[in-house]
Amino acid sequence: MSLRADLRHGLRIARAEFVRSVRGYARDRRRLLGLAVAVLFFGGNLLFSLPTAYLLGRTVRSADAIPFLGPAATALPFLLVALAALRTLERIGRPEAEELLLSTVHPRAAVIGLICAEIARLAIWFGLPIAAVVAAFALGLGSATFPLTVAVVVLPLVCWAAVWGYALGIGFLRLFRWLPALGRAAKIGGFLGMLALVLASQSIGRLVADGSFSVRGALDAVTIGPLTEYVAVAFLGTPLSRSLSPVGPGILLLFVALTPLGTAVAARSAKTLWFTDASKPERATRSKTSSGGFAAPRPFAATKPGRIAWGHLVRAVRHPQEFSHLVMIVFFLGPVGTTFVQSSGDALGALAAATGVGLATYLAGATFGLNPLGDDRPQLSLVLLSGTTPRTLVRGRVTAGVAVSAPVAALVPAAALGLGAAPELAGAFAAVGLPMCVAASLFSVGLGASYPIYEEREFWGAETVVPSTLVMVAYLFVVGGGTVIGLLATWFVASGRLTATPLVAGGLSVYVLTTAGVSYGSYRYAVRRYRRYAFD
Amino acid sequence: MPSTNTAAIEADDLRKRYGSEVALDGVSLSIPTGTVYGFLGPNGAGKTTTMRILTGLSRPSSGTVRVCGVDVADRRALARHVGYLPETPPLYEEFSAREQLEYVADLRDIAGEVADERIDRYLAEFELLDDADRRISEYSKGMKQKTAFVQSVLHDPDVLFLDEPTSGLDPRAARRIRESILAFADAGTTVFLSTHILPVVEAVADEVGVLYEGRLVAEGPPDAVTSRAATGDSGSLEDAFLAVTSGGEDVVDAEETDSGSERV
């Protein structure tokens, strides 16, 4: 009776959570725009993947001939469990409005509801495109039953992965509560792991190309035979069907049997997490104090924007989680990493110096400039009525960005001398790096002010206001592109490869004027947004 | 007014520690059915911790709690007896008030017709009927608080826990909530009311308890607490509150109870 009630309550919670998610996706114009971009992206992929799946269905003569079927069958359960665990750690480890739910229904019902809602969300984002690909393949194969057998294989797998991934995620949350230092280490480890993965993914192509690494051999080594047998169940009744080993159906039964067990484990673990407290207070045991008042050091003390910048820097040091969005740079390090691996001699030093300047221009705007109004929102009623002009407020942010980036722009090229960079080149990069940082910082405040984000959300384990992804991508595109052009021009000039002709002078003038003009215009726009800001 | 002598809330020697920090230090309560119990204390005294323990949402380090005779660890049995309105209303902003209340009614297994009748009645009583189909994200603080109050009483609980229910509300909305508290108490519901707004407590409470640094330092009817708390001639509950939470030396006339609080 109680199980039936918990199931009923769980499904009701799942329905409500799913409806809330759908309404959240379409809550405002910004989200609708993001959704449209995602649909266009995935929809665009389908334009290629659907005909490919159809042709594959028409031409393939045995399941073994389907490329990477075995490795995919092996990877899928692990990926799904990892995804579910990650989502639990980041988003669904606790229900929203938990006082309501936990004083109304049994925790097991809440767990069932959260997991079912997650499966429904997964079905919307991934299930629909995958179903379309499967349908195209079935059409090519000429098998009407294939989508059904795929469902028979996929559904138990997804349910199993969802509940055990949830249990794993809750287990991690309990562990991190017990050992908070481990949680912090895991975040750093995750970041480094992601960095390593990006770099490795860039390097592996070269190893494959020169024949020193065999993809087929590596995949064969990690393929787990029984999981391939399990996936082979999906081909029953199709022209690709082969003699069925008992292993496949056995694994299917195992997934089915382990799902309620995983639910029980997850519910028990979640109950412990939700109703008990950390053995030590989660807040720091040492009280945080400051002495000496607010005294900005030189050179910040000399001007009001400088003192405002110092305030930004002090808060950044005390609450570095606010800058979790900066990890986005990792995805752009891959190509640089590959180039590093392939470089030697003078090229390595020059590349290191250029990378330093590129990193500096990224930090100049991305640290403080990509969501100025959103970041300042809690204090806007104070600062806008403080008598400080909007121009000073914006300059404070710009100065903070330059303060963070200028040392990187100057010191990395200097350090690159040790890697063999020519002194004149390192000096030239550092010299152009500083004005580039100023330009990037000025550009960022206008770009960020054009699309402010006010809602806090959990990002990388910290509750913070993250700049819009569109703004971050636009910033990377514009500033990254501008920096590359500027550095290439500097390299040509410093290495004497550029002859002074009217065309070159004109091109350089256009570049400098465009950079300066766009940056200044962006800065003026930010000032205007602050001046005209109104609470809606 | 208390309607019977049966204890609706029975807490015995509750202690709660966070590492070396003591949040609750031997709190015992015995609150008769139908009582409106005003639970007072300065910020950080442990009021919300107490409420979370009494509603089974947090476990004490030691001590026991029974609500309507049910051990609060038995959540399945406890849920139908209690309604809880935390300080931050637990609402889903993506829902309208009507959707929110229907959802809660569903989770509470309230029969459809009964739920519809109660929802309509409460929406009308709390002047939310015209806005019932608007999303909660568009509501004012008072409207959210009233919606959350309705959802906490929708299943007609025996014991109602309210954490700062009138905080930040305009006088009209605050009065509406106050009148409801009295109406529920008249109907036999026990109300455990935590608030900083002392006039509200004076207006509705049959009994008050004052929590200070995790200990219950004074307990009894408001008039008695006021008159015995050595507050001079003015004799308001506010004076009594300030007296008993200023270190305890002013409460010399009070009678010491077993739990260490001054029962007056």
PDB file of all heavy atoms in Angstrom, chain B residues 131-156:
ATOM      1  N   ASP B 131      -6.706  36.297  -8.834  1.00  0.00           N
ATOM      2  CA  ASP B 131      -5.343  36.074  -9.344  1.00  0.00           C
ATOM      3  C   ASP B 131      -4.961  34.599  -9.315  1.00  0.00           C
ATOM      4  O   ASP B 131      -3.781  34.265  -9.476  1.00  0.00           O
ATOM      5  CB  ASP B 131      -4.340  36.870  -8.495  1.00  0.00           C
ATOM      6  CG  ASP B 131      -4.614  38.350  -8.551  1.00  0.00           C
ATOM      7  OD1 ASP B 131      -4.541  38.905  -9.647  1.00  0.00           O
ATOM      8  OD2 ASP B 131      -4.942  38.934  -7.497  1.00  0.00           O
ATOM      9  N   ALA B 132      -5.951  33.748  -9.103  1.00  0.00           N
ATOM     10  CA  ALA B 132      -5.644  32.327  -8.881  1.00  0.00           C
ATOM     11  C   ALA B 132      -4.973  31.664 -10.070  1.00  0.00           C
ATOM     12  O   ALA B 132      -4.243  30.685  -9.901  1.00  0.00           O
ATOM     13  CB  ALA B 132      -6.929  31.576  -8.532  1.00  0.00           C
ATOM     14  N   ASP B 133      -5.196  32.196 -11.263  1.00  0.00           N
ATOM     15  CA  ASP B 133      -4.619  31.549 -12.450  1.00  0.00           C
ATOM     16  C   ASP B 133      -3.369  32.261 -12.972  1.00  0.00           C
ATOM     17  O   ASP B 133      -2.842  31.895 -14.010  1.00  0.00           O
ATOM     18  CB  ASP B 133      -5.682  31.456 -13.552  1.00  0.00           C
ATOM     19  CG  ASP B 133      -6.820  30.537 -13.122  1.00  0.00           C
ATOM     20  OD1 ASP B 133      -6.525  29.505 -12.501  1.00  0.00           O
ATOM     21  OD2 ASP B 133      -7.996  30.878 -13.370  1.00  0.00           O
ATOM     22  N   ARG B 134      -2.942  33.265 -12.226  1.00  0.00           N
ATOM     23  CA  ARG B 134      -1.671  33.913 -12.600  1.00  0.00           C
ATOM     24  C   ARG B 134      -0.510  33.126 -12.026  1.00  0.00           C
ATOM     25  O   ARG B 134      -0.617  32.507 -10.961  1.00  0.00           O
ATOM     26  CB  ARG B 134      -1.632  35.342 -12.032  1.00  0.00           C
ATOM     27  CG  ARG B 134      -2.235  36.379 -12.952  1.00  0.00           C
ATOM     28  CD  ARG B 134      -2.304  37.727 -12.258  1.00  0.00           C
ATOM     29  NE  ARG B 134      -0.999  38.212 -11.860  1.00  0.00           N
ATOM     30  CZ  ARG B 134      -0.802  39.117 -10.894  1.00  0.00           C
ATOM     31  NH1 ARG B 134      -1.820  39.613 -10.235  1.00  0.00           N
ATOM     32  NH2 ARG B 134       0.418  39.505 -10.592  1.00  0.00           N
ATOM     33  N   ARG B 135       0.623  33.175 -12.695  1.00  0.00           N
ATOM     34  CA  ARG B 135       1.806  32.471 -12.203  1.00  0.00           C
ATOM     35  C   ARG B 135       2.297  33.105 -10.889  1.00  0.00           C
ATOM     36  O   ARG B 135       2.283  34.322 -10.744  1.00  0.00           O
ATOM     37  CB  ARG B 135       2.946  32.517 -13.221  1.00  0.00           C
ATOM     38  CG  ARG B 135       2.636  31.834 -14.538  1.00  0.00           C
ATOM     39  CD  ARG B 135       2.936  30.336 -14.486  1.00  0.00           C
ATOM     40  NE  ARG B 135       2.343  29.654 -15.622  1.00  0.00           N
ATOM     41  CZ  ARG B 135       2.940  29.485 -16.807  1.00  0.00           C
ATOM     42  NH1 ARG B 135       4.157  29.929 -16.976  1.00  0.00           N
ATOM     43  NH2 ARG B 135       2.330  28.863 -17.785  1.00  0.00           N
ATOM     44  N   ILE B 136       2.753  32.257  -9.988  1.00  0.00           N
ATOM     45  CA  ILE B 136       3.194  32.739  -8.684  1.00  0.00           C
ATOM     46  C   ILE B 136       4.399  33.676  -8.815  1.00  0.00           C
ATOM     47  O   ILE B 136       4.600  34.561  -7.984  1.00  0.00           O
ATOM     48  CB  ILE B 136       3.499  31.531  -7.771  1.00  0.00           C
ATOM     49  CG1 ILE B 136       2.181  30.843  -7.396  1.00  0.00           C
ATOM     50  CG2 ILE B 136       4.247  31.939  -6.510  1.00  0.00           C
ATOM     51  CD1 ILE B 136       2.324  29.540  -6.676  1.00  0.00           C
ATOM     52  N   SER B 137       5.173  33.505  -9.880  1.00  0.00           N
ATOM     53  CA  SER B 137       6.337  34.390 -10.080  1.00  0.00           C
ATOM     54  C   SER B 137       5.921  35.852 -10.182  1.00  0.00           C
ATOM     55  O   SER B 137       6.722  36.751  -9.946  1.00  0.00           O
ATOM     56  CB  SER B 137       7.097  33.973 -11.330  1.00  0.00           C
ATOM     57  OG  SER B 137       6.245  33.969 -12.451  1.00  0.00           O
ATOM     58  N   GLU B 138       4.641  36.092 -10.523  1.00  0.00           N
ATOM     59  CA  GLU B 138       4.170  37.469 -10.671  1.00  0.00           C
ATOM     60  C   GLU B 138       3.508  37.986  -9.390  1.00  0.00           C
ATOM     61  O   GLU B 138       3.025  39.115  -9.364  1.00  0.00           O
ATOM     62  CB  GLU B 138       3.174  37.556 -11.829  1.00  0.00           C
ATOM     63  CG  GLU B 138       3.782  37.216 -13.173  1.00  0.00           C
ATOM     64  CD  GLU B 138       2.738  37.147 -14.276  1.00  0.00           C
ATOM     65  OE1 GLU B 138       1.564  37.478 -14.018  1.00  0.00           O
ATOM     66  OE2 GLU B 138       3.107  36.738 -15.382  1.00  0.00           O
ATOM     67  N   TYR B 139       3.483  37.166  -8.351  1.00  0.00           N
ATOM     68  CA  TYR B 139       2.783  37.557  -7.119  1.00  0.00           C
ATOM     69  C   TYR B 139       3.628  38.500  -6.270  1.00  0.00           C
ATOM     70  O   TYR B 139       4.855  38.443  -6.287  1.00  0.00           O
ATOM     71  CB  TYR B 139       2.476  36.311  -6.284  1.00  0.00           C
ATOM     72  CG  TYR B 139       1.219  35.559  -6.692  1.00  0.00           C
ATOM     73  CD1 TYR B 139       0.639  35.738  -7.941  1.00  0.00           C
ATOM     74  CD2 TYR B 139       0.621  34.664  -5.819  1.00  0.00           C
ATOM     75  CE1 TYR B 139      -0.491  35.050  -8.309  1.00  0.00           C
ATOM     76  CE2 TYR B 139      -0.510  33.957  -6.171  1.00  0.00           C
ATOM     77  CZ  TYR B 139      -1.065  34.154  -7.420  1.00  0.00           C
ATOM     78  OH  TYR B 139      -2.178  33.462  -7.772  1.00  0.00           O
ATOM     79  N   SER B 140       2.930  39.286  -5.452  1.00  0.00           N
ATOM     80  CA  SER B 140       3.622  40.081  -4.439  1.00  0.00           C
ATOM     81  C   SER B 140       3.988  39.167  -3.275  1.00  0.00           C
ATOM     82  O   SER B 140       3.527  38.020  -3.189  1.00  0.00           O
ATOM     83  CB  SER B 140       2.702  41.188  -3.935  1.00  0.00           C
ATOM     84  OG  SER B 140       1.621  40.593  -3.230  1.00  0.00           O
ATOM     85  N   LYS B 141       4.806  39.694  -2.379  1.00  0.00           N
ATOM     86  CA  LYS B 141       5.226  38.884  -1.225  1.00  0.00           C
ATOM     87  C   LYS B 141       4.015  38.440  -0.392  1.00  0.00           C
ATOM     88  O   LYS B 141       3.927  37.306   0.054  1.00  0.00           O
ATOM     89  CB  LYS B 141       6.186  39.697  -0.352  1.00  0.00           C
ATOM     90  CG  LYS B 141       6.631  38.937   0.875  1.00  0.00           C
ATOM     91  CD  LYS B 141       7.700  39.636   1.647  1.00  0.00           C
ATOM     92  CE  LYS B 141       8.038  38.724   2.839  1.00  0.00           C
ATOM     93  NZ  LYS B 141       9.230  39.054   3.526  1.00  0.00           N
ATOM     94  N   GLY B 142       3.071  39.376  -0.214  1.00  0.00           N
ATOM     95  CA  GLY B 142       1.886  39.053   0.580  1.00  0.00           C
ATOM     96  C   GLY B 142       1.061  37.946  -0.067  1.00  0.00           C
ATOM     97  O   GLY B 142       0.566  37.035   0.602  1.00  0.00           O
ATOM     98  N   MET B 143       0.926  38.012  -1.385  1.00  0.00           N
ATOM     99  CA  MET B 143       0.142  36.977  -2.091  1.00  0.00           C
ATOM    100  C   MET B 143       0.836  35.617  -1.985  1.00  0.00           C
ATOM    101  O   MET B 143       0.189  34.585  -1.794  1.00  0.00           O
ATOM    102  CB  MET B 143      -0.043  37.379  -3.554  1.00  0.00           C
ATOM    103  CG  MET B 143      -0.947  38.592  -3.731  1.00  0.00           C
ATOM    104  SD  MET B 143      -0.770  39.320  -5.360  1.00  0.00           S
ATOM    105  CE  MET B 143      -1.763  38.199  -6.329  1.00  0.00           C
ATOM    106  N   LYS B 144       2.156  35.641  -2.093  1.00  0.00           N
ATOM    107  CA  LYS B 144       2.887  34.374  -1.960  1.00  0.00           C
ATOM    108  C   LYS B 144       2.709  33.807  -0.561  1.00  0.00           C
ATOM    109  O   LYS B 144       2.489  32.603  -0.377  1.00  0.00           O
ATOM    110  CB  LYS B 144       4.382  34.608  -2.224  1.00  0.00           C
ATOM    111  CG  LYS B 144       4.726  34.815  -3.673  1.00  0.00           C
ATOM    112  CD  LYS B 144       6.223  35.022  -3.839  1.00  0.00           C
ATOM    113  CE  LYS B 144       6.553  35.294  -5.302  1.00  0.00           C
ATOM    114  NZ  LYS B 144       7.925  35.698  -5.523  1.00  0.00           N
ATOM    115  N   GLN B 145       2.802  34.677   0.424  1.00  0.00           N
ATOM    116  CA  GLN B 145       2.692  34.215   1.808  1.00  0.00           C
ATOM    117  C   GLN B 145       1.289  33.646   2.078  1.00  0.00           C
ATOM    118  O   GLN B 145       1.143  32.616   2.731  1.00  0.00           O
ATOM    119  CB  GLN B 145       2.982  35.400   2.748  1.00  0.00           C
ATOM    120  CG  GLN B 145       3.195  35.009   4.194  1.00  0.00           C
ATOM    121  CD  GLN B 145       4.568  34.373   4.429  1.00  0.00           C
ATOM    122  OE1 GLN B 145       5.304  34.104   3.492  1.00  0.00           O
ATOM    123  NE2 GLN B 145       4.879  34.091   5.665  1.00  0.00           N
ATOM    124  N   LYS B 146       0.278  34.304   1.528  1.00  0.00           N
ATOM    125  CA  LYS B 146      -1.089  33.804   1.729  1.00  0.00           C
ATOM    126  C   LYS B 146      -1.277  32.458   1.018  1.00  0.00           C
ATOM    127  O   LYS B 146      -1.907  31.550   1.557  1.00  0.00           O
ATOM    128  CB  LYS B 146      -2.112  34.845   1.212  1.00  0.00           C
ATOM    129  CG  LYS B 146      -2.199  36.062   2.128  1.00  0.00           C
ATOM    130  CD  LYS B 146      -3.394  36.939   1.839  1.00  0.00           C
ATOM    131  CE  LYS B 146      -3.233  37.748   0.583  1.00  0.00           C
ATOM    132  NZ  LYS B 146      -4.306  38.749   0.409  1.00  0.00           N
ATOM    133  N   THR B 147      -0.709  32.332  -0.189  1.00  0.00           N
ATOM    134  CA  THR B 147      -0.814  31.053  -0.903  1.00  0.00           C
ATOM    135  C   THR B 147      -0.128  29.936  -0.103  1.00  0.00           C
ATOM    136  O   THR B 147      -0.663  28.831   0.032  1.00  0.00           O
ATOM    137  CB  THR B 147      -0.152  31.160  -2.300  1.00  0.00           C
ATOM    138  OG1 THR B 147      -0.688  32.281  -2.981  1.00  0.00           O
ATOM    139  CG2 THR B 147      -0.389  29.908  -3.119  1.00  0.00           C
ATOM    140  N   ALA B 148       1.051  30.268   0.422  1.00  0.00           N
ATOM    141  CA  ALA B 148       1.779  29.261   1.195  1.00  0.00           C
ATOM    142  C   ALA B 148       1.035  28.909   2.474  1.00  0.00           C
ATOM    143  O   ALA B 148       1.036  27.749   2.905  1.00  0.00           O
ATOM    144  CB  ALA B 148       3.175  29.774   1.522  1.00  0.00           C
ATOM    145  N   PHE B 149       0.391  29.908   3.073  1.00  0.00           N
ATOM    146  CA  PHE B 149      -0.404  29.628   4.276  1.00  0.00           C
ATOM    147  C   PHE B 149      -1.552  28.676   3.934  1.00  0.00           C
ATOM    148  O   PHE B 149      -1.793  27.696   4.645  1.00  0.00           O
ATOM    149  CB  PHE B 149      -0.944  30.940   4.858  1.00  0.00           C
ATOM    150  CG  PHE B 149      -1.719  30.754   6.130  1.00  0.00           C
ATOM    151  CD1 PHE B 149      -1.070  30.675   7.350  1.00  0.00           C
ATOM    152  CD2 PHE B 149      -3.110  30.638   6.110  1.00  0.00           C
ATOM    153  CE1 PHE B 149      -1.785  30.479   8.526  1.00  0.00           C
ATOM    154  CE2 PHE B 149      -3.829  30.441   7.270  1.00  0.00           C
ATOM    155  CZ  PHE B 149      -3.164  30.363   8.491  1.00  0.00           C
ATOM    156  N   VAL B 150      -2.218  28.961   2.828  1.00  0.00           N
ATOM    157  CA  VAL B 150      -3.341  28.091   2.439  1.00  0.00           C
ATOM    158  C   VAL B 150      -2.851  26.673   2.192  1.00  0.00           C
ATOM    159  O   VAL B 150      -3.478  25.696   2.639  1.00  0.00           O
ATOM    160  CB  VAL B 150      -4.044  28.653   1.172  1.00  0.00           C
ATOM    161  CG1 VAL B 150      -5.068  27.657   0.646  1.00  0.00           C
ATOM    162  CG2 VAL B 150      -4.714  29.976   1.479  1.00  0.00           C
ATOM    163  N   GLN B 151      -1.717  26.523   1.541  1.00  0.00           N
ATOM    164  CA  GLN B 151      -1.261  25.151   1.248  1.00  0.00           C
ATOM    165  C   GLN B 151      -0.872  24.406   2.516  1.00  0.00           C
ATOM    166  O   GLN B 151      -0.941  23.180   2.558  1.00  0.00           O
ATOM    167  CB  GLN B 151      -0.129  25.152   0.232  1.00  0.00           C
ATOM    168  CG  GLN B 151       1.241  25.428   0.767  1.00  0.00           C
ATOM    169  CD  GLN B 151       2.322  25.342  -0.322  1.00  0.00           C
ATOM    170  OE1 GLN B 151       2.038  25.114  -1.493  1.00  0.00           O
ATOM    171  NE2 GLN B 151       3.554  25.553   0.075  1.00  0.00           N
ATOM    172  N   SER B 152      -0.497  25.157   3.554  1.00  0.00           N
ATOM    173  CA  SER B 152      -0.118  24.472   4.794  1.00  0.00           C
ATOM    174  C   SER B 152      -1.344  24.037   5.611  1.00  0.00           C
ATOM    175  O   SER B 152      -1.213  23.207   6.514  1.00  0.00           O
ATOM    176  CB  SER B 152       0.803  25.358   5.639  1.00  0.00           C
ATOM    177  OG  SER B 152       0.087  26.478   6.112  1.00  0.00           O
ATOM    178  N   VAL B 153      -2.516  24.597   5.309  1.00  0.00           N
ATOM    179  CA  VAL B 153      -3.717  24.221   6.073  1.00  0.00           C
ATOM    180  C   VAL B 153      -4.726  23.434   5.233  1.00  0.00           C
ATOM    181  O   VAL B 153      -5.785  23.049   5.739  1.00  0.00           O
ATOM    182  CB  VAL B 153      -4.426  25.470   6.665  1.00  0.00           C
ATOM    183  CG1 VAL B 153      -3.505  26.194   7.623  1.00  0.00           C
ATOM    184  CG2 VAL B 153      -4.923  26.404   5.580  1.00  0.00           C
ATOM    185  N   LEU B 154      -4.366  23.194   3.995  1.00  0.00           N
ATOM    186  CA  LEU B 154      -5.320  22.598   3.050  1.00  0.00           C
ATOM    187  C   LEU B 154      -5.835  21.243   3.515  1.00  0.00           C
ATOM    188  O   LEU B 154      -6.985  20.874   3.263  1.00  0.00           O
ATOM    189  CB  LEU B 154      -4.626  22.473   1.688  1.00  0.00           C
ATOM    190  CG  LEU B 154      -5.489  22.395   0.450  1.00  0.00           C
ATOM    191  CD1 LEU B 154      -6.425  23.589   0.343  1.00  0.00           C
ATOM    192  CD2 LEU B 154      -4.594  22.343  -0.787  1.00  0.00           C
ATOM    193  N   HIS B 155      -5.009  20.492   4.191  1.00  0.00           N
ATOM    194  CA  HIS B 155      -5.401  19.136   4.621  1.00  0.00           C
ATOM    195  C   HIS B 155      -5.968  19.123   6.032  1.00  0.00           C
ATOM    196  O   HIS B 155      -6.134  18.069   6.626  1.00  0.00           O
ATOM    197  CB  HIS B 155      -4.193  18.203   4.522  1.00  0.00           C
ATOM    198  CG  HIS B 155      -3.024  18.632   5.367  1.00  0.00           C
ATOM    199  ND1 HIS B 155      -2.389  19.827   5.182  1.00  0.00           N
ATOM    200  CD2 HIS B 155      -2.379  18.027   6.391  1.00  0.00           C
ATOM    201  CE1 HIS B 155      -1.389  19.938   6.055  1.00  0.00           C
ATOM    202  NE2 HIS B 155      -1.377  18.869   6.807  1.00  0.00           N
ATOM    203  N   ASP B 156      -6.253  20.335   6.550  1.00  0.00           N
ATOM    204  CA  ASP B 156      -6.866  20.457   7.864  1.00  0.00           C
ATOM    205  C   ASP B 156      -5.998  19.778   8.937  1.00  0.00           C
ATOM    206  O   ASP B 156      -6.446  18.830   9.615  1.00  0.00           O
ATOM    207  CB  ASP B 156      -8.264  19.814   7.825  1.00  0.00           C
ATOM    208  CG  ASP B 156      -9.180  20.442   8.843  1.00  0.00           C
ATOM    209  OD1 ASP B 156      -8.747  21.402   9.488  1.00  0.00           O
ATOM    210  OD2 ASP B 156     -10.311  19.942   9.009  1.00  0.00           O
TER     211      ASP B 156
END
